[in-house]
């Protein structure tokens, strides 16, 4: 782990102020690995004792957090996100211990958003209520689809009835929650997609995330690719999603995220606005800013090795500075996902670079009709949203 004195030494960047700081906690186990999933998730071993495994892992998380404290000293945590894997595999008692331990070790903002990912396949009555009592303020439920045939094709461990029961309880218990859905699924029709979205909207969710199914390397789907809808049909599906969510009062504030006013995901917004985040847990990534540099870290990926290293106070396997050349693209990769774009002043504050470092890319993007801008703000146009990868690529290797 980089020592804070080393991180604070003079450098080529000049950050006027540090951005907001979030905490990401990775809980790596799931019941069964989905064939499309390329996240660092591991099937829970048959015969392993869940109580002792969860206790040992949480001890490792606390050791990891304590080893990281010198790098974030004096900064308050604005949001916490428990991701996975399937965090809802952990018992409410374990989550209570985890949240309490985090509060004891860092300065958590009084109104901090604390999100946990949950899977309907781990749902049982009153479980979500217990998570809420443990300190979770926002639940993100991995529904993916309400259609049993699609759920089976995606390798999900839950069915339609479990999904409906889980969302029903979440809506009763949480003031704000998210439904994760996917589209352009194997064999999916426009009518089937419409039915899925309408079922989700019937719960009046404050937030929905909707992702296009993509085939990622090193997944089961990469080895045995399913037949997916043609691009033209996928575009039609996207148009239908936009139309249905808008009519339900959900604003598409990010490429894949739709929210009612006041229900945007604060944690993800901090990522997209190029804020800082400390990631603890197996395979977790961090991005931390200092006066003259931006640092990225990666934790050991395999859970047993991570726990062993964390207990020694050495959870980090990789620590690198983001170069001046990489910063414009890294910033744009995130900020241009937001419909509102970014303030020019935030670019300067969060990269430590001058506006001249992105001037050429902005001119080219404007000429192509991919962005709009004024003296203070830059934002993607509808065309820019449709061709987001092309827009982001204009900012590769821009800095001196």
């Amino acid at each position: 782990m980089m020592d804070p004195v080393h991180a604070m030494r003079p450098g080529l960047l000049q950050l006027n102020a540090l951005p907001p700081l979030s905490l990401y906690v990775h809980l790596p186990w799931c019941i069964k690995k989905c064939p499309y999933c390329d996240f660092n998730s591991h099937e829970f071993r048959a015969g392993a004792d869940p109580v002792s495994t969860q206790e040992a892992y949480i001890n490792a998380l606390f050791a990891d957090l304590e080893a990281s404290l010198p790098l974030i000293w004096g900064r308050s945590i604005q949001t916490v996100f428990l991701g996975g894997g399937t965090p809802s595999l952990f018992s409410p008692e374990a989550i209570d211990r985890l949240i309490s331990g985090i509060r004891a070790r860092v300065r958590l903002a009084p109104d901090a958003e604390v999100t946990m990912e949950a899977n309907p396949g781990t749902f049982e009555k009153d479980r979500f209520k217990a998570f809420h009592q443990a300190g979770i303020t926002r639940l993100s439920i991995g529904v993916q689809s309400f259609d049993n045939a699609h759920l089976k094709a995606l390798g999900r461990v839950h069915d339609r009835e479990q999904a409906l029961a889980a969302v029903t309880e979440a809506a009763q218990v949480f003031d704000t929650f998210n439904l994760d859905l996917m589209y352009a699924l194997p064999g999916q029709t426009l009518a089937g997609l419409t039915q899925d979205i309408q079922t989700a909207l019937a719960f009046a969710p404050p937030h929905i995330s909707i992702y296009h199914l993509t085939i990622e390397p090193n997944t089961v789907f990469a080895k045995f690719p399913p037949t997916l809808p043609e691009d033209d049909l996928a575009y039609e599906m996207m148009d239908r999603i936009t139309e249905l969510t808008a009519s339900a009062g959900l604003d598409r504030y990010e490429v894949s995220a739709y929210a009612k006013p006041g229900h945007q995901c604060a944690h993800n917004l901090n990522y997209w606005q190029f804020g800082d985040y400390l990631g603890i847990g197996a395979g977790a990534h961090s991005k931390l800013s200092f006066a003259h540099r931006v640092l990225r870290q990666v934790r050991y990926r395999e859970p047993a090795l991570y726990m062993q290293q964390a207990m020694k106070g050495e959870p980090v396997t990789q620590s690198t500075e983001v170069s001046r050349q990489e910063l414009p693209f890294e910033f744009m990769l995130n900020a241009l996902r937001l419909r509102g774009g970014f303030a020019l002043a935030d670019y300067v504050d969060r990269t430590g670079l001058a506006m001249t470092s992105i001037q050429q890319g902005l001119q080219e993007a404007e000429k192509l009709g991919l962005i709009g801008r004024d003296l203070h703000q830059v934002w993607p146009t509808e065309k820019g949203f449709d061709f987001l990868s092309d827009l982001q690529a204009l900012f590769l290797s821009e800095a001196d």
Side-chain angles (χ1 to χ4, degrees):
M1 182 151 326
M2 182 177 286
D3 103 58
V5 175
H6 189 70
M8 291 299 294
R9 74 195 189 286
L12 294 174
L13 302 180
Q14 186 62 55
L15 274 68
N16 299 323
L18 299 183
L21 176 65
S22 292
L23 176 66
Y24 174 79
V25 185
H26 193 72
L27 305 178
W29 290 287
C30 53
I31 296 171
K32 180 183 161 208
K33 182 92 170 174
C34 295
Y36 59 84
C37 175
D38 68 338
F39 295 139
N40 184 31
S41 59
H42 303 260
E43 290 186 13
F44 197 75
R45 236 176 32 253
D49 175 27
V51 176
S52 60
T53 302
Q54 290 174 22
E55 190 171 318
Y57 190 75
I58 289 171
N59 288 341
L61 290 173
F62 291 158
D64 185 349
L65 184 54
E66 286 165 12
S68 308
L69 287 178
L71 294 177
I72 59 165
W73 209 252
R75 299 177 69 180
S76 66
I77 304 280
Q78 304 303 309
T79 67
V80 179
F81 194 104
L82 311 187
T86 303
S88 54
L89 268 181
F90 278 59
S91 69
E93 293 76 20
I95 297 298
D96 185 41
R97 180 175 172 238
L98 175 59
I99 302 293
S100 299
I102 290 169
R103 286 187 184 279
R105 287 166 174 82
V106 298
R107 187 194 301 167
L108 205 54
D111 58 347
E113 173 192 272
V114 183
T115 301
M116 183 174 82
E117 291 180 336
N119 187 325
T122 61
F123 170 76
E124 57 195 43
K125 185 155 174 54
D126 292 336
R127 191 176 183 85
F128 290 173
K129 190 187 295 181
F131 287 137
H132 188 255
Q133 288 165 348
I136 302 299
T137 66
R138 182 178 182 275
L139 208 63
S140 183
I141 310 170
V143 172
Q144 313 316 352
S145 175
F146 290 97
D147 181 296
N148 281 331
H150 293 321
L151 289 169
K152 189 174 180 185
L154 290 171
R156 302 297 287 174
V157 297
H158 68 272
D159 61 20
R160 173 185 169 82
E161 291 309 312
Q162 287 171 305
L164 294 170
V167 179
T168 299
E169 178 156 320
Q172 289 166 353
V173 173
F174 288 90
D175 293 331
T176 191
F177 63 94
N178 171 61
L179 298 187
D180 254 358
L181 297 171
M182 298 177 86
Y183 75 100
L185 306 177
Q188 190 172 43
T189 62
L190 188 60
L193 175 277
T194 302
Q195 181 65 51
D196 251 0
I197 302 300
Q198 287 175 335
T199 302
L201 293 174
F203 288 98
H207 191 289
I208 295 186
S209 300
I210 308 177
Y211 301 101
H212 188 299
L213 174 62
T214 52
I215 307 300
E216 302 292 349
N218 304 316
T219 62
V220 172
F221 274 179
K223 289 180 197 162
F224 308 101
T227 304
L228 301 181
E230 298 288 335
D231 286 349
D232 286 352
L233 177 54
Y235 283 124
E236 274 189 77
M237 289 180 175
M238 186 71 256
D239 289 343
R240 180 64 53 86
I241 289 165
T242 304
E243 170 198 323
L244 291 170
T245 51
S247 65
L250 293 159
D251 174 49
R252 188 185 184 191
Y253 71 100
E254 188 267 345
V255 167
S256 305
Y258 305 76
K260 290 184 177 172
H263 290 277
Q264 296 176 339
C265 177
H267 185 87
N268 286 343
L269 267 177
N270 191 42
Y271 287 153
W272 298 321
Q273 292 167 344
F274 211 55
D276 278 358
Y277 50 94
L278 172 65
I280 62 172
H285 290 237
S286 301
K287 178 232 162 196
L288 298 169
S289 300
F290 300 89
H292 303 291
R293 63 190 32 80
V294 176
L295 173 71
R296 287 203 180 276
Q297 295 179 330
V298 184
R299 264 66 179 161
Y300 285 91
R301 185 176 173 86
E302 202 279 317
L305 179 58
Y306 163 75
M307 289 192 279
Q308 181 185 319
Q309 291 298 121
M311 294 311 289
K312 292 183 196 170
E314 299 171 359
V316 176
T317 179
Q318 195 181 325
S319 187
T320 53
E321 280 186 41
V322 183
S323 70
R324 286 171 61 87
Q325 287 74 23
E326 295 168 313
L327 273 168
F329 179 64
E330 290 236 356
F331 182 92
M332 294 300 183
L333 196 61
N334 292 283
L336 290 173
R337 292 179 62 93
L338 292 170
R339 181 172 289 286
F342 64 93
L344 296 174
D346 284 345
Y347 175 79
V348 175
D349 285 347
R350 297 190 179 186
T351 64
L353 299 172
M355 281 307 306
T356 51
S357 62
I358 52 169
Q359 208 53 52
Q360 187 182 328
L362 291 178
Q363 286 170 355
E364 183 67 17
E366 190 171 32
K367 193 167 77 181
L368 294 169
L370 300 176
I371 61 164
R373 59 172 169 161
D374 57 28
L375 292 174
H376 308 287
Q377 194 86 5
V378 174
W379 58 91
T381 59
E382 287 296 329
K383 184 181 175 186
F385 249 17
D386 287 341
F387 296 96
L388 186 58
S389 297
D390 296 337
L391 170 56
Q392 291 161 332
L394 294 174
F395 298 92
L396 278 165
S397 302
E398 276 238 354
D400 300 326

